[in-house]
Amino acid sequence: MSILEDIIKAKGDRKKLLAVLIDPDKISVHAVPDFMDKVNASIATHVFVGGSTVANGLTEKIVLAIKTFTDLPVILFPGDAIQITDEAHGILFLSLISGRNPEYLIGQHVKSIAKLKNTSLEIIPTGYILIDGGNETAVQRVSKTTPIPRNDNEMAVETALAGQFSGKQLIYLEAGSGAKHPVPSRMIAEVVDELSVPVIVGGGIRDVNALEKAYAAGATLVVIGTILEDDEAFFEKLKKNRMPRMHE
Ligand code: 1GP
């Protein structure tokens, strides 16, 4: 089954997926084995790799190291075209549809084609929607776009539907890495209600309560990054036997 088919099936089966986000700029190759041991013992189902700005060539080194230590699918979540490497299994081909900056709507996509036209990566068209997380995050700074206000559910729903109607296979509601507040549950629920494609939620999720709220609101896949960089002890709370319900 392809990565996308697997996520679509999870939505149908109401199974909860969890991606651990690894920013190649924030981990060294030597730290990968230990980190991946913890990921493997957790309920994580996917590994995302990417950052807003990553030095050329670094992503490939980290992806190769990750693959040595896990069987989980490794999916690129790139901030720009230079982060693309064939060594991963798939790529979220992200269009920042909440923004009005052509560079992140189509510019980087065109720049990536030299790398992608003969790729073995599974390319997953994804509508990426930035929601105000209460502070300026790197996505906002780098993309120079304005996030959707956290109370504007209508704009979030309309943007998500515009993405789905334009062929996006996934919609990613993003508060931004290190956001003060995650995407509000009510907004997630309204978006999920209107869409037929699966919804990914990430940004600012730092405790199990926030994680469970995102799933309860209907997210199929939740992404966690910063808390695991700052406090690897959080993996204890994500251990397979600690959260059996999420495995059903
Ligand atoms: C960022 O959604 C991801 O793109 C994860 O965010 O680092 O805040 O967990 P955090």
Side-chain angles (χ1 to χ4, degrees):
M1 206 186 282
S2 75
I3 296 165
L4 178 62
E5 283 166 352
D6 201 42
I7 298 173
I8 292 170
K9 184 166 186 314
K11 176 179 162 72
D13 296 347
R14 293 178 176 275
K15 203 179 140 208
K16 290 137 182 47
L17 305 177
L18 177 71
V20 170
L21 172 64
I22 299 180
D23 183 339
D25 244 4
K26 296 189 182 147
I27 192 167
S28 76
V29 172
H30 307 290
V32 170
D34 237 32
F35 192 83
M36 290 315 299
D37 272 355
K38 293 186 176 120
V39 173
N40 291 332
S42 80
I43 54 165
T45 52
H46 296 76
V47 179
F48 283 5
V49 182
S52 291
T53 49
V54 178
N56 204 356
L58 195 53
T59 304
E60 184 155 305
K61 284 197 192 105
I62 295 291
V63 167
L64 284 167
I66 292 170
K67 283 202 311 183
T68 311
F69 296 100
T70 190
D71 293 328
L72 295 176
V74 180
I75 301 169
L76 299 175
F77 172 56
D80 56 46
I82 68 161
Q83 294 176 39
I84 295 172
T85 163
D86 267 342
E87 294 298 338
H89 301 112
I91 175 170
L92 296 184
F93 203 52
L94 300 164
S95 295
L96 182 52
I97 56 175
S98 54
R100 298 295 178 266
N101 182 347
E103 187 60 16
Y104 294 96
L105 284 164
I106 188 63
Q108 286 292 323
H109 309 70
V110 175
K111 287 177 188 153
S112 71
I113 295 308
K115 282 186 173 173
L116 288 179
K117 69 178 172 191
N118 295 315
T119 191
S120 53
L121 289 169
E122 180 181 337
I123 301 173
I124 307 172
T126 303
Y128 191 48
I129 301 181
L130 186 59
I131 309 297
D132 186 4
N135 51 338
E136 196 198 45
T137 57
V139 197
Q140 199 179 331
R141 200 168 51 246
V142 171
S143 70
K144 299 189 181 69
T145 62
T146 310
I148 293 177
R150 358 188 343 93
N151 59 1
D152 199 344
N153 294 0
E154 194 182 346
M155 180 56 81
V157 168
E158 288 180 350
T159 305
L161 275 175
Q164 177 178 301
F165 294 163
S166 337
K168 307 303 181 208
Q169 302 295 305
L170 298 173
I171 291 294
Y172 190 141
L173 296 177
E174 169 72 281
S177 192
K180 205 156 140 195
H181 308 292
V183 179
S185 301
R186 185 79 228 141
M187 181 181 273
I188 300 172
E190 288 193 21
V191 169
V192 168
D193 252 20
E194 293 290 340
L195 293 192
S196 55
V197 303
V199 171
I200 300 180
V201 172
I205 293 179
R206 275 184 294 270
D207 53 53
V208 171
N209 182 40
L211 179 63
E212 288 190 329
K213 270 169 85 177
Y215 288 130
T220 298
L221 190 155
V222 176
V223 189
I224 299 187
T226 307
I227 182 67
L228 297 170
E229 287 163 11
D230 292 352
D231 176 18
E232 286 191 25
F234 188 66
F235 274 116
E236 280 300 312
K237 298 184 182 150
L238 299 178
K239 275 201 170 158
K240 287 184 174 141
N241 51 4
R242 295 278 301 261
M243 300 189 76
R245 277 177 302 135
M246 293 175 53
H247 261 299
E248 283 162 7

